[in-house]
Amino acid sequence: MSTTAKERTDVERDRSARISERKRGWGEFLLDQRAFVALIVLVIVFSLLSDNFLDPSNLVTMTRHVAYNAILALGMLLVITTAGIDLSIGSTVGLSGVVAGLLLQGWELSLFDTTAYPAVWVVVVISLAIGAAVGALNGILITRFNVAPFIATLGTMYIARGAALLISDGATFPRLQGDPALGNTGFDFFGTGRPLGIPTAIWIMVVFAILIGLLMTRTRFGRWVYATGGNERAADLAGVPVRVVKMRVYMISGVCAAMAGLIIASELTSAAPQTGNTFELNAIAAVVIGGASLAGGRGTVKGALIGAFVIGFLSDGLVMVGVSSFWQMVIKGLVIVLAVMLDRGQERLKEARAAAAAAQSLRKDLAAATPPSTSHHER
Amino acid sequence: MSDVVMRAQSVSKVYGGTHALRGVDFEVRAGRVVALLGENGAGKSTLMKILAGVEQPTTGRLELDGEPVRFESPSDAVGRGVAIIHQELNLCPNLSVADNIFMGRERGRAGFVDYAEQRELARALFERLEEPIDPRRPVGELRLGQQQLVEIARALSEDARVLVMDEPTSALSAAEVQVLFRVIRDLTAHGVAIVYISHHLDECLEIADDAVVLRDGAVVAQAPMRDVDLSWIVEHMVGRDQSDLYAPMAFAPGEPLLELRDVVVADPENAGRLAVRGVTLTVHEGEVVGLYGLMGAGRTELLEALAGRNEVVSGEIRLAGTPLTGLSIAERIRRGLALVPEDRQRDGLVQALSVGRNLSLAALGGFLKGLVLNKRSESAAVDRMMSAVRVKAAGPDAEIGSLSGGNQQKVVVGKVLMTAPRVIVLDEPTRGIDVGAKADIFALMAGQAKEGRGVLFATSEVEEVLHAADRIVVLSRGRVAGEFDPRTTTREDVMAASGESLDDPTTNGGRR
């Protein structure tokens, strides 16, 4: 057999394999796009059950609710793609809100016997930096001290929540609109502003999604994130700075959480230390529904966004239809479990199909090949 | 000679308490292929890892172009022109072929990756390797041989002056090996120095210019390849006569106990590939069968399928006449088939439990009194087993971690024996244990056979099958490549059967 002929048959085989993949039919396609299908189904069901579900104003409201969960999910996506987990983001939401509240209410500098009222942009930068710092703490624990991500971020979850309660003494910072006399107005922009008629929170979600999407798909860093989660040892041997990658994803996750905290505090124009409790679980659910693997290496921004929309629309839709909040929890739980079951099912389907194909080709080869030399067996 | 590119000078490496390398001097010359030869555990891979910056030498030093160097990491070594093709595949199955080739060295600017350029470069590399793999395909979808070509392509893309190849052909077909050899000759013609390791000695004879033989971590012989032959290599590899290590044989086979017919097993690591491709063999009462094969021959996959851990795609396994198909691991143990797994740390022992608790773990059902464990009968049985397998431990309450590798392995074997098996299956039972414990393990196996049980053990060391087995079955690429009587065969015969002979038509066709 000449080499070129072999090449040609191989190329043809590759091509036909890809075509047959395309031909696998609608069932497979729907399974593949299951998060999107679930979202469509939710929209159809709720629009039938509730007259104003499809009202543009309702859709905007629901999307605004989705926005901060989506931002959290985007940070979580990066972490989960490296095969990590970040349980601290809910607490970081609370901490960043409280820090913003403290600064807007006036920061007493006893050393100078004065109270500082920083401008809103300074408040935002400091709050986001606090989020990055929590992420950095996670990163240090995980990369320098080899603490398992689950445990490290469980610890920082308590630490950040405790810090938020300490700063606020357990109380809520009210009236964060600021005072024109002090030059610190404008914080409510994140929660109530509507540039071009669309709430600021949605704009922020879109910007974060585009930035993280570009990061994941276009940059070297994005490749490193997938490589670290896909096979950490291989990435390390190939010169990928695995520790730096992990450090950064936790910091980005922390910044996303702090941003979500600012949005919530701004919407309420008040900051409570308990804000964000269990938000990390919603984010994990969104990422998993979006097709990411908790084992790492697999996950997309599109998927995480759709996952956040599924969870958000499901919650709001159930409220609109009047399902009791107890049943809401049960239904949400079932959706999450179903998503993971479908994911496993799809994986197993792929594996079974591949094994069957290999066995098939082996039988063909055995039938075609001349019988192997039996000289050794004659004994 | 003055064309020495790289030199290792009295390099030693100590892992824990064992000397992997003892004062090795090793030279790599421009434009030449040097084959590094030795049995498993001789220190080949350790030396390679040191050359490529994966490991640091404990003592001794490396020189590059006559200057002392210290590689902080593999990428540091690559930066100075020393690249390695690892024995294990180090690929990210979730990433594309091109992404894997340029992993850690992505093309592009300002942090953004130029995917089009990477694809083009990858395509050119595969043209050179005469294998048109689509650079966009996820590596996880490729068959094993193609994955190995991706590793090779990656090393080629690094434009190294010294290229270390650790078992680069373990998953390649004969035709692919010939392509690789053409690439190697092309590289050496351009002055690249190659360090080549392979279990396939015929490959080394064909491609290498120089031979260096390692044994027990030291260089025992070196010569230009044209001056040596297969028997010279094997003689120096094996060295001293090891026959006193093994128990005398007592072969009086009885009825067939374990029968395999056309067993096909899928590769659990790579969906869509088969690890075992139709194996037929029988283990009789009172018989020790040695299963010999190279890495990737399918030994572990076959044994794990026997134990019920891997799924059997087709074919039949019978234990004393009864088919085992569809039975769980626990049911197989109850019927008398138990496995001593290859990786005792991962699969064989529970580190958190004591020696005694580990021993009784698989046989707890026997000590149940109603719903409660009868501690007294458990500890009596544990004491009996500890002396039967000669575990050297402070007592049944000793921590597993406090035992040496050999004694840990005896605990695993004892655990299996406590289930009162009829057939004992052992996967690499002597891996990483000292000589004395090896002798004990083989004596145990022979003793079990004498009592009428069947023993099937897998190994990648020829000496072990030659001396500890009553019958040798050689596996190659998932098939039985030959059966031998250890009293009448030579190690060359066994090794030859395990390697892929270049003119065998079935190996080629079967892999496509």
Side-chain angles (χ1 to χ4, degrees):
Chain A
M1 175 163 59
S2 80
T3 318
T4 48
K6 193 194 90 182
E7 274 175 24
R8 215 168 291 137
T9 53
D10 270 14
V11 167
E12 270 158 24
R13 204 162 294 167
D14 269 14
R15 196 176 299 142
S16 64
R18 237 174 285 131
I19 290 169
S20 75
E21 239 162 72
R22 246 180 256 140
K23 276 187 186 162
R24 269 174 201 168
W26 281 99
E28 198 108 350
F29 176 76
L30 294 180
L31 190 61
D32 219 37
Q33 303 289 322
R34 58 189 169 277
F36 195 60
V37 173
L39 185 59
I40 303 281
V41 169
L42 280 182
V43 170
I44 292 172
V45 168
F46 284 127
S47 61
L48 292 176
L49 292 175
S50 163
D51 291 337
N52 33 13
F53 186 83
L54 280 181
D55 278 3
S57 72
N58 183 52
L59 286 178
V60 168
T61 305
M62 287 196 305
T63 305
R64 212 183 76 188
H65 293 162
V66 167
Y68 61 81
N69 274 320
I71 292 168
L72 290 172
L74 289 168
M76 184 68 82
L77 169 73
L78 280 165
V79 172
I80 284 181
T81 308
T82 64
I85 194 96
D86 189 350
L87 300 180
S88 67
I89 56 173
S91 298
T92 307
V93 167
L95 180 60
S96 83
V98 165
V99 167
L102 174 78
L103 295 175
L104 289 165
Q105 291 283 314
W107 187 10
E108 280 175 44
L109 299 168
S110 48
L111 194 64
F112 303 100
D113 203 20
T114 159
T115 305
Y117 292 95
V120 164
W121 71 266
V122 177
V123 171
V124 169
V125 169
I126 291 177
S127 299
L128 294 182
I130 292 282
V134 175
L137 178 60
N138 286 330
I140 289 168
L141 288 172
I142 291 160
T143 60
R144 298 288 149 189
F145 296 99
N146 287 324
V147 183
F150 188 95
I151 302 299
T153 60
L154 184 68
T156 51
M157 177 180 101
Y158 284 111
I159 294 169
R161 184 68 69 196
L165 287 162
L166 282 170
I167 289 171
S168 63
D169 206 11
T172 299
F173 290 102
R175 293 184 305 280
L176 302 183
Q177 302 89 326
D179 185 341
L182 298 167
N184 64 351
T185 53
F187 183 68
D188 47 352
F189 170 75
F190 294 109
T192 51
R194 291 178 85 95
L196 303 176
I198 292 175
T200 318
I202 297 179
W203 285 114
I204 296 175
M205 171 183 78
V206 169
V207 169
F208 269 57
I210 290 173
L211 286 179
I212 292 183
L214 286 175
L215 187 73
M216 290 288 265
T217 57
R218 295 267 171 257
T219 67
R220 208 166 59 148
F221 181 76
R223 288 293 98 171
W224 290 352
V225 168
Y226 283 106
T228 302
N231 184 348
E232 185 174 334
R233 186 185 141 76
D236 188 32
L237 284 172
V240 173
V242 171
R243 288 176 167 197
V244 177
V245 170
K246 287 188 183 175
M247 190 81 196
R248 294 222 181 118
V249 296
Y250 285 97
M251 288 177 72
I252 294 172
S253 176
V255 170
C256 287
M259 189 70 242
L262 290 176
I263 292 172
I264 294 169
S266 171
E267 276 178 2
L268 304 172
T269 58
S270 69
Q274 298 87 356
T275 309
N277 203 10
T278 71
F279 280 15
E280 63 277 355
L281 303 181
N282 279 334
I284 294 169
V287 171
V288 169
I289 289 174
S293 159
L294 285 179
R298 194 155 56 92
T300 62
V301 164
K302 188 184 116 195
L305 279 182
I306 293 176
F309 272 91
V310 167
I311 295 226
F313 278 22
L314 184 66
S315 305
D316 284 3
L318 290 172
V319 173
M320 291 178 72
V321 181
V323 175
S324 89
S325 63
F326 303 151
W327 276 110
Q328 287 176 29
M329 292 183 96
V330 173
I331 293 169
K332 223 158 106 178
L334 288 175
V335 167
I336 294 167
V337 172
L338 185 70
V340 179
M341 276 167 57
L342 282 174
D343 189 60
R344 283 306 307 147
Q346 191 188 23
E347 287 298 304
R348 226 173 292 162
L349 196 71
K350 268 189 203 161
E351 280 165 23
R353 180 176 288 141
Q360 176 76 31
S361 82
L362 172 70
R363 272 195 289 278
K364 242 185 259 166
D365 287 343
L366 287 179
T370 47
S373 123
T374 51
S375 56
H376 294 309
H377 301 272
E378 281 163 5
R379 207 182 303 276
Chain B
M1 251 186 268
S2 61
D3 52 355
V4 173
V5 204
M6 200 178 179
R7 176 182 280 130
Q9 266 185 339
S10 47
V11 163
S12 296
K13 178 75 188 175
V14 180
Y15 291 111
T18 55
H19 266 78
L21 289 177
R22 312 161 185 266
V24 167
D25 294 311
F26 184 68
E27 286 179 349
V28 185
R29 296 199 173 91
R32 286 177 82 85
V33 179
V34 52
L36 199 52
L37 304 155
E39 290 195 295
N40 285 352
K44 293 170 298 185
S45 285
T46 307
L47 180 54
M48 293 231 160
K49 283 180 182 159
I50 287 172
L51 292 180
V54 181
E55 304 266 3
Q56 307 298 331
T58 310
T59 61
R61 65 175 193 177
L62 295 182
E63 278 181 12
L64 195 62
D65 300 319
E67 301 283 322
V69 282
R70 193 184 147 78
F71 297 138
E72 299 299 334
S73 67
S75 42
D76 186 19
V78 167
R80 300 186 205 211
V82 181
I84 184 167
I85 299 171
H86 288 280
Q87 181 175 353
E88 335 78 74
L89 296 172
N90 284 296
L91 299 168
C92 292
N94 56 328
L95 296 183
S96 76
V97 169
D99 285 338
N100 267 285
I101 290 176
F102 295 101
M103 188 172 22
R105 302 172 296 114
E106 288 79 3
R107 297 300 178 114
R109 48 163 70 188
F112 285 83
V113 182
D114 187 340
Y115 290 108
E117 186 192 348
Q118 290 195 3
R119 275 199 301 275
E120 271 325 298
L121 290 167
R123 204 164 275 139
L125 286 167
F126 287 115
E127 234 156 71
R128 200 166 161 194
L129 290 168
E130 300 176 27
E131 177 86 22
I133 300 174
D134 185 342
R136 287 167 302 188
R137 279 183 72 182
V139 158
E141 281 181 10
L142 302 180
R143 62 185 173 76
L144 213 54
Q146 288 176 320
Q147 293 190 11
Q148 198 153 38
L149 290 171
V150 173
E151 284 269 359
I152 292 169
R154 175 156 76 192
L156 292 180
S157 77
E158 285 163 347
D159 280 329
R161 290 187 300 142
V162 177
L163 185 51
V164 178
M165 299 183 165
D166 192 358
E167 297 282 355
T169 61
S170 58
L172 298 187
S173 72
E176 286 162 343
V177 170
Q178 287 310 311
V179 172
L180 177 65
F181 282 1
R182 282 204 287 280
V183 173
I184 289 177
R185 289 192 192 100
D186 181 48
L187 288 171
T188 50
H190 287 88
V192 176
I194 309 256
V195 183
Y196 193 89
I197 287 188
S198 178
H199 267 106
H200 301 273
L201 299 180
D202 50 344
E203 283 179 8
C204 297
L205 283 168
E206 182 181 346
I207 193 68
D209 303 301
D210 301 294
V212 172
V213 184
L214 279 181
R215 193 173 67 231
D216 297 333
V219 174
V220 291
Q222 47 188 325
M225 198 55 105
R226 61 171 183 277
D227 298 344
V228 306
D229 59 8
L230 196 63
S231 66
W232 180 91
I233 295 173
V234 171
E235 190 183 310
H236 283 96
M237 272 169 61
V238 176
R240 68 186 184 284
D241 186 24
Q242 296 187 335
S243 47
D244 55 331
L245 210 154
Y246 304 95
M249 267 169 284
F251 182 33
E255 295 293 302
L257 259 183
L258 180 68
E259 295 162 281
L260 282 67
R261 222 180 54 228
D262 293 328
V263 171
V264 174
V265 181
D267 186 343
E269 310 263 308
N270 297 282
R273 264 162 249 124
L274 299 174
V276 177
R277 311 164 67 87
V279 164
T280 300
L281 71 87
T282 306
V283 180
H284 301 87
E285 286 175 349
E287 186 184 34
V288 179
V289 175
L291 200 57
Y292 176 77
L294 303 176
M295 215 186 76
R299 286 173 286 141
T300 296
E301 291 82 356
L302 177 64
L303 298 193
E304 296 201 335
L306 291 179
R309 290 178 45 163
N310 284 349
E311 213 173 315
V312 173
V313 179
S314 69
E316 197 177 43
I317 302 169
R318 285 169 178 271
L319 181 66
T322 345
L324 293 181
T325 316
L327 295 186
S328 70
I329 296 177
E331 281 163 2
R332 287 171 202 235
I333 291 174
R334 220 175 49 235
R335 277 158 204 253
L337 187 145
L339 171 72
V340 175
E342 178 180 25
D343 187 340
R344 63 174 165 273
Q345 303 292 349
R346 198 188 64 196
D347 302 330
L349 293 168
V350 182
Q351 298 291 341
L353 295 182
S354 68
V355 170
R357 292 280 165 86
N358 267 288
L359 274 169
S360 61
L361 193 60
L364 286 177
F367 309 122
L368 278 183
K369 222 176 174 181
L371 288 174
V372 211
L373 276 179
N374 183 344
K375 295 262 172 149
R376 201 181 307 154
S377 70
E378 181 190 355
S379 76
V382 163
D383 288 344
R384 272 199 307 279
M385 190 51 74
M386 280 184 72
S387 57
V389 297
R390 293 203 260 172
V391 176
K392 289 190 198 81
D397 295 330
E399 275 178 50
I400 274 294
S402 70
L403 270 56
S404 70
N407 279 300
Q408 290 189 8
Q409 183 70 324
K410 288 180 192 171
V411 172
V412 181
V413 174
K415 183 180 85 175
V416 162
L417 294 182
M418 276 191 112
T419 66
R422 304 176 71 179
V423 176
I424 305 151
V425 177
L426 306 97
D427 194 1
E428 294 273 7
T430 63
R431 170 180 283 189
I433 69 179
D434 59 83
V435 175
K438 270 187 197 181
D440 283 350
I441 296 277
F442 286 130
L444 260 171
M445 283 162 47
Q448 293 298 318
K450 207 182 275 177
E451 288 174 27
R453 300 191 180 95
V455 177
L456 175 64
F457 78 101
T459 178
S460 54
E461 298 193 31
V462 194
E463 288 304 307
E464 294 192 357
V465 279
L466 283 172
H467 291 100
D470 300 317
R471 193 154 52 88
I472 300 171
V473 175
V474 178
L475 274 193
S476 173
R477 315 273 198 218
R479 291 212 182 88
V480 174
E483 260 188 64
F484 300 92
D485 182 336
R487 282 159 297 198
T488 58
T489 192
T490 64
R491 57 174 80 92
E492 284 84 0
D493 286 343
V494 175
M495 285 170 125
S498 73
E500 188 178 71
S501 66
L502 295 177
D503 49 34
D504 182 350
T506 56
T507 47
N508 224 340
R511 297 179 50 78
R512 294 272 159 196

